[in-house]
Amino acid sequence: MPRVMSRHKVVLYWLFLLLVCHCAQSEFGQPCSSNPPLLAEDPSLTEDSNIQIHHNRLKRNVIQQREYELDIEVNITENFSDDDLKLLLNSIVYPISVPFENGTLNITNINITTVCRNVNNETQCTCEGGFIWNSTFCSKYQSCSGSITEGQSCDCIRSEPTEGMFCMSESIMTTPTTSTMSTTTLRSTTPRTTSMTPTTTTPRTTSMTPTTTPTTPTTMTPKTTLPPGLERQRYAFRVVELQFTKELSNSSSPEFKDLLNRFKMPLESSIQSVRPGAVVIILGFSNGSVIILFEVITDASLTPDEFSTSREKLQNNLTDYKIESLPSDEIPCTDQTFGTTNFNIVAEIPCENMPGVKKRRCGRNGVYEEVLDFCISEEINNILEAVNTTDLENNFSSLLEQLSNVTDEDTVNTPGNVQAVVEIMRQISNVNSTVNETDMRNFLETVSSVISFESVNTWRILSNTSQSNTNPSSQLLQSVENFNTRLKLQNNTLRIKENNLELSANRIVQQNDVSDFNVTFANFAAVEYSNLSANIFISSEEFSDAANATIISIAYPTWIDILPNTSTFGKNFLINSLVVTVTINAENPININMTFSPRNRTLDFNSATCAFWDFSGNMWNDTGCESEIREEEIICHCQHLTSFSILMSPDTKDSLALSYITIIGVAISIGSLLITIIIEAIVWKHVTKNKTSYIRHVGILNIAVNLLVADIWFIVASAIETGNIQACTAATFFIHFFYLALFFWMLTLGLLLVYRLLFPFHDLSRSVMRGISFAIGYLPPLIISIITIGVTFPRNSYTREDACWLGWETEYPLLAFVIPALVIIAINVIILIIVIFKLLRPTIGDGSRANNQESDAFKQIVRSIAVLTPILGLTWAFGIPTFQQDSPLAFHYIFTILNAFQGFFILVFGTFMDNKVREALLKKFSLRGFSSRSKTSQNVSTAKPSSKPHPRFRAKRKSYNLTQQLHSSDNNPSLSYSSLS
């Protein structure tokens, strides 16, 4: 068997082995030998010989050809469904020859007759196409539909027959005691090891053809989970010269089988020519000349060149036809339940035992998107029918009470139920009748249920699938406003608070002595909106012509995530406060002041815009409203009443500046790193003559290479669309790995530094130090990166939705970068402290000057930090405050500048400040001015002291010699660092 084999081939292999063993046992009277045994005699079959014949009947002709009919029972788990087995059998090209003893066993057909499933905690056995239960079984075990069809037969019974019988052909309607029809049954079981046990053999021909009912869709979608390392992709070819007929929609039709046999081998051969071991499955045929839908299972997706090559090979094999490949947005989707549908078309099927439908949109590459549940509960559907048929003016109160009793946040938040409730509320809100307080409570209780936080995704589905010009959420909001205008208060005030909204109503009683309307909404139950608040203020002067008017205001926290954020003033604005509805049954315009607290305080306050929801345009409009920013609150002054909120832009000028700094810094960093690598290559032999210098430059070179590759992947990731999951995942993995490798090489340099300072007389060979350095530099990053993607990618939490970087919303894969980075930063801080204290200690021979050179010591510490910080990655420590919400922008600028220019810092502090590197470059290029200076320096260092030696120079020479011998430090930071080079 090939190395890459799908699960379908494995199942087919065991089915064939079962058939061979069964034939061998019948012919020679010997049990089939297998370890473990494949065949087991079912005691129930041998005990009840009067019910069915359980021996193989053999037909012989003059040329000693033998024909068998075998009954096989296959128990399958949830991991491999009966649909998968049907798909497998449909992909077989008959006959199949199996070597057997001294001859050949030809399998001509396989026929599935009976499928037993666990449905609602009971076993139901259904007959497949061309087979049926006779009256004896229908009466004994009861029909699934509760009645027996014409002719006293049925296609489904409510238990598995204890007689071991299966469905029978419609042309042979006999009792169980005389039936000899060949059958195969599939029993769906709980997940366990898949077992396939033959139950009966009957005296018929070996005619086993995959048969389905005439209504079976053309396509059968595999539901199995592929083994690790395998991928499935869907493709389609158009055969221009062929015309589609309805018979090609029926997988059991001769036309379907003929076309399947005609194209299967050439198609499989063309794919396997570019990808050996690939499994090719024809899923069916679709209209459009004739479109061949097929699936390829292999270890990696076919490249465009491979697919183009396979199409050319298929064209060469099928010279009678013109073959065209379909792009990803033209491949039809195919599924056994939803049938065949073209790209971007929504397929619908009726709900089981419920009103409504289930919908599924056909996406790219012939893959259906998730199933959308538009089924409606029986109770809500009854109210919807009553709304459409009864006199609403007299019955809307009772209907509202019924609706509030059957709706709650846990059960009503499916698309079908929410859509039905929106329609009910729309019709009730348009009734021209007075609304009392009880009606208002029932109305708002229902609204609160359908706009819960749990239903946010449902509203997005409704918005995306709505075929009308009015958004469903806008429709409900308008229903609330219409209903408010008919409220008649029993008292002067009314306060209603539900989980997802709050109402405050006041009646203006006395025209000459009216107080201001001032109400505050806050402290909502949902944790996600607990920081939201709003204040509504209307001056009493606005009510001079509004005697006996009623002001009603309602605040909704969840509308932030439900209403669309489209607006007339910008494309990239977000709703960032409570949505507040204010209505008054007065004719004159009313000026209103509203104070909002923003939900996300990190957005640009300068972009805050007061807006109202425009029902005519289904978008936010800022006409008639002005905004005022007061500290961390936004005040809106509007000249009319309706539903209001604050919209703010997430794109700030500051973030734009940071983006420019990042782009410029990364470009400079990449150029600097390339220069660093080139310089290291030029001076390598001159600066790696001792072990410490060798390992240090190995570390610098690996830091430069890792940072360079990480920066390149950073640029690649910024150009990838977040919808491209595979490319985004790959970019994130490599960025994660190379940044971690950068950190661990920084740790390696830090450990080398402290090792040479603390253990000057302990020596390790060059190869041992190199091996330890590479092990520390690359093994931990590789392990961390693989574990992170292995744990989080299957759960769709590896990357972020808005960027190609480690996710933070769920499961926190970003911690796999932050925690190692922080640990290494902490270790390097400790190393830096150790180095500073070591440098502060007076060296041998320097005691006479140790007490009077504090200024030199201070400069030494500063220069040491300036040299070590960029190389050891301590600049990343400035990123810690940026993790906090509302962190000062100063930290963001410092963090961005230091890290965007880190490649430049490595070039300056890791390369140019190295004396040996500079000397090697001067020697290499022999520049006149620098060369003379180098010679002068060399002569001075080797000549005898003059009569008036410079005291600082003498100190430098003396300190340098001690450092070479004792591996200690002097007062010159440049030379001290060189001693570690």
Side-chain angles (χ1 to χ4, degrees):
M1 298 174 67
R3 181 179 64 86
V4 180
M5 175 177 289
S6 72
R7 214 163 158 187
H8 299 77
K9 285 191 174 181
V10 175
V11 174
L12 183 61
Y13 172 81
W14 288 111
L15 277 175
F16 289 166
L17 191 56
L18 271 173
L19 294 172
V20 173
C21 290
H22 227 330
C23 293
Q25 180 179 355
S26 304
E27 177 69 13
F28 303 105
Q30 299 294 331
C32 181
S33 177
S34 179
N35 189 19
L38 287 175
L39 303 180
E41 194 69 36
D42 191 339
S44 65
L45 303 181
T46 57
E47 292 175 2
D48 198 356
S49 59
N50 292 327
I51 296 179
Q52 186 175 3
I53 301 174
H54 297 296
H55 63 275
N56 289 333
R57 189 174 294 173
L58 181 63
K59 289 184 179 180
R60 299 174 185 266
N61 57 22
V62 291
I63 59 174
Q64 294 299 310
Q65 288 185 344
R66 302 163 186 174
E67 295 182 354
Y68 299 89
E69 182 177 277
L70 308 177
D71 292 334
I72 300 176
E73 176 184 330
V74 181
N75 291 330
I76 57 180
T77 68
E78 292 178 0
N79 293 329
F80 190 89
S81 67
D82 55 315
D83 289 339
D84 297 320
L85 188 54
K86 292 175 186 177
L87 174 64
L88 169 65
L89 298 180
N90 272 337
S91 65
I92 298 173
V93 179
Y94 298 98
I96 299 174
S97 298
V98 181
F100 176 66
E101 291 294 329
N102 297 325
T104 301
L105 175 65
N106 292 322
I107 301 175
T108 58
N109 287 297
I110 300 177
N111 183 29
I112 297 178
T113 66
T114 311
V115 178
C116 294
R117 300 182 181 90
N118 190 332
V119 179
N120 297 329
N121 297 323
E122 73 173 9
T123 300
Q124 294 184 0
C125 292
T126 307
C127 297
E128 295 296 314
F131 291 82
I132 205 164
W133 293 109
N134 68 11
S135 58
T136 303
F137 286 104
C138 296
S139 300
K140 180 176 181 179
Y141 297 104
Q142 297 184 351
S143 170
C144 298
S145 61
S147 60
I148 300 176
T149 60
E150 184 179 356
Q152 300 300 302
S153 61
C154 58
D155 58 3
C156 177
I157 59 176
R158 309 183 82 173
S159 182
E160 183 178 342
T162 58
E163 297 88 349
M165 282 294 298
F166 308 136
C167 297
M168 290 161 273
S169 174
E170 294 181 3
S171 60
I172 305 176
M173 295 305 299
T174 57
T175 61
T177 58
T178 60
S179 173
T180 58
M181 183 61 199
S182 169
T183 54
T184 301
T185 185
L186 305 179
R187 290 182 171 83
S188 300
T189 64
T190 55
R192 56 184 174 85
T193 303
T194 302
S195 60
M196 290 172 277
T197 307
T199 59
T200 157
T201 56
T202 59
R204 296 280 299 174
T205 60
T206 316
S207 177
M208 291 174 266
T209 306
T211 304
T212 58
T213 60
T215 58
T216 301
T218 298
T219 60
M220 298 181 184
T221 306
K223 300 177 182 176
T224 55
T225 301
L226 292 177
L230 293 183
E231 298 180 10
R232 72 168 95 240
Q233 311 95 42
R234 290 191 173 181
Y235 303 97
F237 286 139
R238 176 182 284 110
V239 185
V240 178
E241 282 77 9
L242 290 179
Q243 294 299 319
F244 186 82
T245 61
K246 64 178 182 179
E247 286 76 14
L248 293 178
S249 298
N250 185 2
S251 60
S252 62
S253 68
E255 291 80 2
F256 182 95
K257 296 175 184 177
D258 177 68
L259 203 60
L260 180 72
N261 295 336
R262 198 184 315 171
F263 283 97
K264 179 173 175 55
M265 294 301 294
L267 181 60
E268 190 174 51
S269 174
S270 66
I271 298 295
Q272 291 178 349
S273 66
V274 297
R275 191 63 65 86
V279 177
V280 181
I281 302 173
I282 293 181
L283 303 175
F285 307 102
S286 179
N287 198 359
S289 294
V290 169
I291 297 176
I292 305 175
L293 308 175
F294 63 97
E295 188 173 74
V296 177
I297 300 176
T298 184
D299 53 359
S301 300
L302 297 178
T303 64
D305 291 339
E306 288 177 334
F307 184 69
S308 178
T309 302
S310 65
R311 188 198 65 79
E312 294 175 359
K313 290 182 177 295
L314 179 63
Q315 181 68 79
N316 294 334
N317 294 334
L318 300 171
T319 56
D320 296 337
Y321 306 102
K322 181 181 179 181
I323 306 297
E324 297 178 352
S325 58
L326 271 65
S328 61
D329 58 354
E330 291 185 16
I331 300 176
C333 296
T334 180
D335 179 83
Q336 186 177 14
T337 303
F338 286 88
T340 302
T341 307
N342 290 332
F343 170 71
N344 210 31
I345 300 300
V346 177
E348 297 182 358
I349 61 171
C351 299
E352 298 179 4
N353 304 321
M354 294 177 67
V357 295
K358 291 186 177 180
K359 299 181 180 182
R360 204 172 186 188
R361 185 186 299 276
C362 177
R364 291 185 177 273
N365 298 309
V367 178
Y368 272 113
E369 297 175 356
E370 63 177 341
V371 178
L372 305 179
D373 183 4
F374 279 82
C375 302
I376 307 174
S377 69
E378 200 68 38
E379 296 84 356
I380 294 178
N381 187 67
N382 291 337
I383 298 174
L384 179 60
E385 292 180 351
V387 166
N388 291 323
T389 57
T390 61
D391 180 11
L392 280 182
E393 291 190 8
N394 297 321
N395 297 298
F396 80 90
S397 296
S398 61
L399 292 175
L400 277 176
E401 184 177 3
Q402 294 177 38
L403 188 61
S404 65
N405 291 334
V406 300
T407 55
D408 59 72
E409 296 181 9
D410 297 327
T411 60
V412 78
N413 57 10
T414 62
N417 284 331
V418 171
Q419 191 176 53
V421 169
V422 170
E423 177 60 20
I424 294 171
M425 306 298 264
R426 184 190 68 83
Q427 295 197 40
I428 291 179
S429 67
N430 291 329
V431 176
N432 188 19
S433 298
T434 302
V435 173
N436 58 39
E437 295 181 2
T438 302
D439 296 334
M440 180 59 75
R441 291 183 185 276
N442 291 331
F443 190 92
L444 294 182
E445 184 178 351
T446 302
V447 172
S448 176
S449 297
V450 298
I451 63 170
S452 65
F453 179 73
E454 290 73 17
S455 67
V456 168
N457 188 56
T458 295
W459 284 101
R460 292 173 183 167
I461 293 173
L462 291 175
S463 297
N464 295 333
T465 58
S466 176
Q467 298 179 354
S468 64
N469 295 328
T470 304
N471 187 281
S473 56
S474 174
Q475 195 174 32
L476 181 60
L477 185 60
Q478 189 169 29
S479 298
V480 176
E481 287 197 23
N482 292 341
F483 200 75
N484 288 353
T485 59
R486 305 205 316 272
L487 174 63
K488 184 178 181 179
L489 293 179
Q490 298 173 358
N491 300 308
N492 292 334
T493 61
L494 175 65
R495 195 87 175 196
I496 299 175
K497 188 165 187 176
E498 301 288 342
N499 290 335
N500 305 299
L501 59 83
E502 184 175 0
L503 174 142
S504 178
N506 286 54
R507 184 168 58 190
I508 303 171
V509 181
Q510 298 178 359
Q511 181 176 352
N512 298 326
D513 187 17
V514 179
S515 60
D516 299 332
F517 180 83
N518 191 348
V519 61
T520 299
F521 299 103
N523 302 321
F524 288 93
V527 178
E528 295 80 5
Y529 311 102
S530 58
N531 66 327
L532 294 177
S533 64
N535 174 266
I536 301 173
F537 177 84
I538 303 177
S539 172
S540 60
E541 298 176 357
E542 301 294 329
F543 306 136
S544 58
D545 298 327
N548 297 321
T550 301
I551 305 173
I552 302 173
S553 58
I554 306 177
Y556 322 82
T558 55
W559 282 117
I560 292 180
D561 298 314
I562 294 176
L563 281 171
N565 60 349
T566 54
S567 67
T568 60
F569 44 83
K571 293 182 179 180
N572 195 21
F573 276 73
L574 302 176
I575 308 172
N576 200 32
S577 71
L578 287 173
V579 175
V580 175
T581 297
V582 183
T583 59
I584 183 173
N585 53 352
E587 297 180 357
N588 297 330
I590 298 291
N591 293 318
I592 181 173
N593 296 324
M594 295 168 287
T595 304
F596 294 94
S597 64
R599 179 190 195 182
N600 186 348
R601 299 180 185 275
T602 63
L603 300 185
D604 184 13
F605 270 67
N606 294 324
S607 67
T609 304
C610 298
F612 69 94
W613 181 255
D614 186 353
F615 293 105
S616 61
N618 279 316
M619 63 178 60
W620 293 97
N621 194 326
D622 60 348
T623 304
C625 289
E626 295 181 359
S627 58
E628 175 188 348
I629 301 173
R630 184 177 298 174
E631 295 181 352
E632 292 191 350
E633 292 183 331
I634 297 98
I635 301 175
C636 293
H637 308 280
C638 296
Q639 301 173 359
H640 54 82
L641 301 181
T642 183
S643 296
F644 303 92
S645 189
I646 297 294
L647 273 71
M648 299 172 67
S649 173
D651 298 328
T652 65
K653 295 180 180 179
D654 293 327
S655 63
L656 188 62
L658 289 175
S659 299
Y660 282 123
I661 293 174
T662 301
I663 294 172
I664 297 172
V666 170
I668 295 175
S669 181
I670 289 177
S672 301
L673 292 170
L674 289 173
I675 296 173
T676 300
I677 295 172
I678 294 172
I679 291 176
E680 288 289 338
I682 293 173
V683 304
W684 185 262
K685 292 183 180 180
H686 301 280
V687 297
T688 58
K689 294 181 179 180
N690 60 68
K691 286 180 292 186
T692 303
S693 178
Y694 171 78
I695 296 299
R696 176 185 175 274
H697 282 277
V698 167
I700 292 293
L701 183 60
N702 277 275
I703 286 174
V705 170
N706 283 297
L707 184 56
L708 175 63
V709 177
D711 284 345
I712 292 173
W713 274 107
F714 176 83
I715 295 174
V716 172
S718 63
I720 296 175
E721 295 183 2
T722 55
N724 192 340
I725 298 177
Q726 293 182 345
C728 193
T729 300
T732 301
F733 175 82
F734 286 115
I735 294 174
H736 184 203
F737 170 73
F738 284 109
Y739 270 131
L740 280 180
L742 168 70
F743 273 100
F744 277 93
W745 272 104
M746 289 177 179
L747 175 63
T748 302
L749 274 186
L751 294 176
L752 172 66
L753 178 65
V754 75
Y755 164 72
R756 298 305 297 172
L757 284 176
L758 298 183
F759 305 99
F761 300 108
H762 189 275
D763 196 16
L764 292 175
S765 66
R766 180 177 293 193
S767 59
V768 171
M769 295 180 69
R770 183 176 62 244
I772 294 174
S773 298
F774 274 87
I776 296 175
Y778 287 113
L779 282 181
L782 184 62
I783 294 172
I784 294 172
S785 301
I786 292 176
I787 292 176
T788 303
I789 192 173
V791 172
T792 59
F793 180 75
R795 304 176 186 177
N796 299 321
S797 60
Y798 182 61
T799 58
R800 303 185 181 188
E801 293 182 358
D802 56 347
C804 293
W805 181 229
L806 297 172
W808 182 248
E809 291 78 12
T810 57
E811 306 205 2
Y812 311 110
L814 182 60
L815 292 178
F817 173 75
V818 173
I819 292 178
L822 292 180
V823 171
I824 291 174
I825 288 173
I827 294 174
N828 282 339
V829 168
I830 296 173
I831 290 174
L832 182 59
I833 294 173
I834 293 174
V835 171
I836 291 174
F837 275 100
K838 190 72 176 178
L839 293 175
L840 285 175
R841 293 175 58 186
T843 57
I844 299 175
D846 285 341
S848 61
R849 295 179 291 111
N851 296 327
N852 58 3
Q853 293 185 339
E854 292 184 3
S855 60
D856 288 344
F858 176 79
K859 294 178 181 179
Q860 188 179 45
I861 294 174
V862 173
R863 292 188 64 183
S864 297
I865 294 175
V867 171
L868 294 178
T869 297
I871 296 177
L872 300 184
L874 300 183
T875 55
W876 290 80
F878 287 99
I880 296 176
T882 64
F883 294 149
Q884 302 175 358
Q885 189 176 6
D886 302 333
S887 59
L889 278 176
F891 286 106
H892 291 267
Y893 277 101
I894 294 173
F895 177 69
T896 301
I897 293 172
L898 289 178
N899 288 279
F901 289 90
Q902 194 167 19
F904 176 75
F905 295 149
I906 289 176
L907 173 64
V908 173
F909 297 123
T911 302
F912 287 153
M913 290 191 66
D914 191 324
N915 287 337
K916 291 185 178 181
V917 172
R918 293 202 305 270
E919 291 173 3
L921 287 174
L922 295 177
K923 279 185 179 180
K924 186 72 175 178
F925 295 103
S926 299
L927 299 177
R928 291 183 179 180
F930 294 115
S931 178
S932 61
R933 184 168 29 172
S934 177
K935 289 179 181 179
T936 303
S937 177
Q938 186 177 5
N939 292 334
V940 171
S941 63
T942 56
K944 294 181 180 180
S946 61
S947 59
K948 294 182 180 181
H950 196 286
R952 284 185 63 83
F953 183 76
R954 208 180 310 146
K956 287 174 80 174
R957 182 182 177 193
K958 178 180 180 181
S959 178
Y960 180 76
N961 291 334
L962 289 173
T963 304
Q964 287 283 71
Q965 296 174 7
L966 301 176
H967 299 279
S968 185
S969 306
D970 62 10
N971 292 328
N972 188 304
S974 176
L975 293 177
S976 298
Y977 187 69
S978 298
S979 70
L980 297 175
S981 300

